[in-house]
Amino acid sequence: MASVLRLFRDIASETYNDEGFASNTSLEQIDVEAIVCNIYRRFEHKAAIDPSLPKLSRKAHCNVLKDWLRHLPGNYSCLDASRPWLIYWILHSLWLLKKLPDAETLSNVVNFLKQCQHKDGGYGGGPMQHSHLGTTYAAVNALSIIGTDEAYDSIDRSSLQKFLWTLRDVDGSFALHNGGEQDIRDNKELIETVLFNQGALQEYIIVCCQSPEGGLIDKPGKPRDIYHTCYTLSGLSVAQHGTGAGESLVIGASETELNRVHPLHNIAPHMVYNAVHYFIRHPPPVKDDN
């Protein structure tokens, strides 16, 4: 599908109207929109000179993601209990950018995640940490992205299944950890489908949400981080490809196109198929508990 950039005057005409009822939220909305409009105004001048714009800074994003995978900045120490999440966010972002790390690096990731699997079967936020449904989800997703026999075989599926059943309540819901509360966010239920302007979202991400040093941001004025890099790229992929049933729409240069992602599970459908197919062909060994 042909990509068409909106004109600045059209974007500016859609700014927020508080209808005379100001609040802290509406004032912040107006401030952010003013920054965004200034960015769009400057971009329109640049695009008039360079018709290939907007572009995704693919190389810069890949470089910083690979650096983060090897050595996290010190300010991430507060996320010591979320290390499988960090790995999943980084690997997923690199896969979207079509630049997964080399085999040796991926093997090292597998070995680290093995240390995060607790003896009860689930994955903790780091080695010797208690199992949690969230970090278990992240670890299994990361291993599915890697997709090697080594990655699949590293999962103690028998123990993992037992762990998951210990979290299930009689009403069918799942707790986040043993003794924890039930939370529908971790049941991954689809509540509703939201329609959006595919082109406008791509414009906003590429024009307003790229850090010059690599990585993506929540909105102008915010710092880059791993979480927002992952989910902003995921949103860009969904905006480009939708559910995958129709024709893709890619705004900007052709190299801006990302890999297609499942809009609900946030992982490539073929990765899920590959993992399930492997597990069907390779049942877990029967353990002798004596």
Side-chain angles (χ1 to χ4, degrees):
M1 187 182 302
S3 62
V4 179
L5 289 174
R6 295 174 301 160
L7 296 174
F8 170 73
R9 65 171 181 265
D10 297 326
I11 296 171
S13 69
E14 298 177 1
T15 53
Y16 177 71
N17 178 11
D18 66 7
E19 299 180 342
F21 294 94
S23 66
N24 290 336
T25 302
S26 68
L27 292 173
E28 184 176 348
Q29 174 78 17
I30 292 169
D31 288 342
V32 172
E33 286 191 357
I35 297 172
V36 169
C37 281
N38 284 331
I39 294 173
Y40 273 121
R41 183 185 291 110
R42 293 195 299 268
F43 169 75
E44 188 166 80
H45 292 309
K46 294 178 181 178
I49 301 171
D50 184 356
S52 68
L53 295 177
K55 296 178 180 178
L56 186 68
S57 303
R58 186 183 297 270
K59 184 176 180 180
H61 301 325
C62 289
N63 287 343
V64 74
L65 284 162
K66 289 181 178 180
D67 285 344
W68 282 334
L69 189 61
R70 290 189 292 266
H71 304 289
L72 279 174
N75 60 334
Y76 279 92
S77 60
C78 61
L79 294 177
D80 179 65
S82 300
R83 293 166 78 180
W85 277 115
L86 294 166
I87 291 172
Y88 161 57
W89 295 335
I90 292 171
L91 289 183
H92 182 57
S93 297
L94 287 169
W95 178 80
L96 285 168
L97 292 163
K98 308 177 184 180
K99 202 67 175 179
L100 277 178
D102 59 82
E104 182 180 358
T105 300
L106 293 177
S107 180
N108 290 338
V109 171
V110 173
N111 288 328
F112 174 76
L113 289 175
K114 283 174 65 176
Q115 299 176 52
C116 297
Q117 187 165 22
H118 193 272
K119 62 183 180 181
D120 68 7
Y123 286 81
M128 297 183 292
Q129 295 187 22
H130 292 298
S131 298
H132 191 281
L133 188 58
T135 47
T136 298
Y137 164 83
V140 172
N141 264 8
L143 293 167
S144 297
I145 291 171
I146 294 171
T148 60
D149 290 2
E150 179 188 28
Y152 297 145
D153 292 339
S154 72
I155 304 172
D156 186 339
R157 285 180 281 148
S158 296
S159 297
L160 176 56
Q161 184 181 45
K162 292 177 182 178
F163 166 71
L164 294 174
W165 281 120
T166 66
L167 302 182
R168 188 176 185 273
D169 203 345
V170 292
D171 63 3
S173 62
F174 285 80
L176 300 181
H177 55 86
N178 286 317
E181 77 280 10
Q182 283 75 29
D183 191 326
I184 62 170
R185 290 174 300 175
D186 285 83
N187 289 335
K188 303 299 177 188
E189 294 180 280
L190 179 60
I191 304 300
E192 61 180 343
T193 301
V194 180
L195 301 175
F196 60 93
N197 185 319
Q198 288 178 260
L201 179 56
Q202 291 180 61
E203 288 175 14
Y204 174 71
I205 291 173
I206 302 172
V207 174
C208 301
C209 296
Q210 296 192 85
S211 171
E213 297 81 18
L216 289 99
I217 62 176
D218 173 26
K219 58 186 175 183
K222 295 292 185 179
R224 66 181 183 177
D225 62 75
I226 298 172
Y227 172 87
H228 285 103
T229 297
C230 172
Y231 290 109
T232 303
L233 287 173
S234 297
L236 180 58
S237 174
V238 173
Q240 291 175 346
H241 303 294
T243 62
E247 189 177 357
S248 296
L249 169 67
V250 178
I251 297 295
S254 58
E255 60 266 27
T256 296
E257 184 173 2
L258 301 176
N259 274 329
R260 189 188 306 270
V261 69
H262 193 292
L264 173 60
H265 302 298
N266 204 27
I267 189 173
H270 77 271
M271 292 176 175
V272 178
Y273 172 83
N274 290 344
V276 171
H277 189 61
Y278 182 88
F279 295 147
I280 290 173
R281 290 184 291 112
H282 301 85
V286 178
K287 286 189 173 182
D288 185 359
D289 295 328
N290 295 325

